[in-house]
Amino acid sequence: MQTQSTNTRSYSQNSRTAWYLRGLLITFIAAAMLVQWAVAVEPAVIRFGVSPGPYGDLITKGIKPGLERKGYKVELVTFQDWVQPNLALNNGETEANLFQHGLYLEKFSKDHNLQLSPVILIPTAGLGIYSRKVKSLDQLKAGDEVTLPLDPTNLARALRFLQKIGLIKLKPEIDPTLVSDKDIASNPKGLKFVPTEAAQIPRTLGSATLAIASGNFAIAAGLKLSDAIVLEELDDTIKITLAVRTADVNKQWVKDAKEVIESDAFHKVVEDPASIFSSFQKPTWYTKKWNGK
């Protein structure tokens, strides 16, 4: 009788252990399935971070319709500077942004330890030199004030632009992507350079002789690209890119957004002669796809 009782207790304990292990296994499988579902799920709403200017309009006219046809809802989140859009993207407050070139994205991400990646370049309005005081660079005189972007990447870019058009010479031993106003070796006209928050540069036209403004902020301020005394010639490293979190690069919604940008419908919006986008400088993939147009 004692042996039978012992066997009964042993069976009961084994049975409870088996049920416990089975429960753990089911819980583990369910948790794994939930994680897999969470990774695979696509956002119903794609929030694009933008800064003031034309790229929000380009999303509205050239990208949003295509994504909506694919079943997504598209929202714009406008930021007033070039700092918050990337922080918001990294923190999950937006799904993508469209305001910056690749060099800026790379440096900002490195400086702030962000995991962001470029997806595809879009037609871009470059830097322009604007003035309400002179009609040509020949009219510049010693002491004239020149405002240019404050952030290191675009400050270096503006200085390279100034060197290319002959207003300054930079120290040859300095990496041209890292130069600052401290690295000006020659300034024959005696100009005064004032690094300024990029969004504020168009507002300096009332006081500065020259304002070197990015295309998006110039357009947002009511300037036309044709108003510029000189326009920057862009290579692909400084054309605007769609940026997303690195973890999202291979997700379907990112592939869908890229497909929309590469579509004939997007091309038609950009090339409409009545739009401001037609005068933007096109990335290499774009000109190859549409035979230079």
Side-chain angles (χ1 to χ4, degrees), residues 9-25:
R9 286 197 301 268
S10 177
Y11 174 80
S12 178
Q13 289 171 353
N14 290 339
S15 179
R16 285 197 297 268
T17 300
W19 278 105
Y20 175 74
L21 291 175
R22 187 180 300 172
L24 283 178
L25 179 61

Side-chain angles (χ1 to χ4, degrees), residues 42-48 59-60 63-77 94-96 253 256-257:
E42 299 294 330
V45 179
I46 302 175
R47 297 164 296 179
F48 286 88
I59 292 171
T60 299
I63 299 175
K64 181 179 179 180
L67 286 175
E68 288 181 337
R69 284 193 292 272
K70 291 179 179 291
Y72 302 98
K73 182 179 179 181
V74 174
E75 296 179 356
L76 297 185
V77 182
T94 59
E95 281 65 53
W253 70 266
D256 287 340

Side-chain angles (χ1 to χ4, degrees), residues 81-83 99-101 103-105 107-108 111-112 127 148-159 177-181 194-199 201 212 214 217:
D81 59 30
W82 283 348
V83 175
F99 79 98
Q100 66 195 319
H101 55 72
L103 290 179
Y104 182 87
L105 172 63
K107 179 167 176 51
F108 191 96
D111 289 349
H112 294 82
L127 292 174
L148 64 175
L150 176 64
D151 69 274
T153 302
N154 285 298
L155 173 59
R157 171 188 175 188
L159 291 171
T177 65
L178 301 175
V179 293
S180 74
D181 49 319
V194 183
T196 303
E197 176 64 39
I201 288 177
I212 304 179
S214 66
F217 286 126

Side-chain angles (χ1 to χ4, degrees), residues 83-250:
V83 175
Q84 296 306 314
N86 281 334
L87 298 179
L89 175 58
N90 193 71
N91 293 337
E93 298 170 36
T94 59
E95 281 65 53
N97 66 43
L98 197 67
F99 79 98
Q100 66 195 319
H101 55 72
L103 290 179
Y104 182 87
L105 172 63
E106 181 180 0
K107 179 167 176 51
F108 191 96
S109 296
K110 182 179 179 180
D111 289 349
H112 294 82
N113 195 29
L114 308 181
Q115 300 301 312
L116 306 178
S117 294
V119 176
I120 186 171
L121 302 177
I122 65 163
T124 302
L127 292 174
I129 298 180
Y130 299 89
S131 180
R132 290 177 182 160
K133 297 186 176 183
V134 298
K135 298 291 186 183
S136 75
L137 301 180
D138 295 334
Q139 297 175 314
L140 294 171
K141 60 184 185 301
D144 280 345
E145 188 173 283
V146 180
T147 55
L148 64 175
L150 176 64
D151 69 274
T153 302
N154 285 298
L155 173 59
R157 171 188 175 188
L159 291 171
R160 295 195 303 272
F161 181 26
L162 290 171
Q163 176 171 254
K164 186 173 183 178
I165 62 176
L167 286 183
I168 62 171
K169 288 186 178 179
L170 298 168
K171 295 175 182 177
E173 68 273 16
I174 305 298
D175 183 338
T177 65
L178 301 175
V179 293
S180 74
D181 49 319
K182 306 290 192 301
D183 300 312
I184 296 174
S186 174
N187 177 13
K189 290 185 176 292
L191 302 173
K192 179 183 178 183
F193 297 101
V194 183
T196 303
E197 176 64 39
Q200 304 304 318
I201 288 177
R203 299 181 184 180
T204 68
L205 282 169
S207 56
T209 303
L210 297 182
I212 304 179
S214 66
N216 62 313
F217 286 126
I219 292 170
L223 297 171
K224 298 177 181 178
L225 297 182
S226 59
D227 292 335
I229 297 174
V230 186
L231 283 173
E232 174 190 32
E233 293 183 9
L234 302 173
D235 60 45
D236 276 1
T237 64
I238 50 178
K239 289 182 178 132
I240 299 298
T241 183
L242 175 68
V244 301
R245 288 182 292 278
T246 302
D248 290 345
V249 165
N250 293 316

Side-chain angles (χ1 to χ4, degrees), residues 70 120 252 254-264:
K70 291 179 179 291
I120 186 171
Q252 187 59 47
V254 176
K255 295 176 182 178
D256 287 340
K258 183 173 183 288
E259 183 179 285
V260 168
I261 292 171
E262 293 174 330
S263 70
D264 288 338

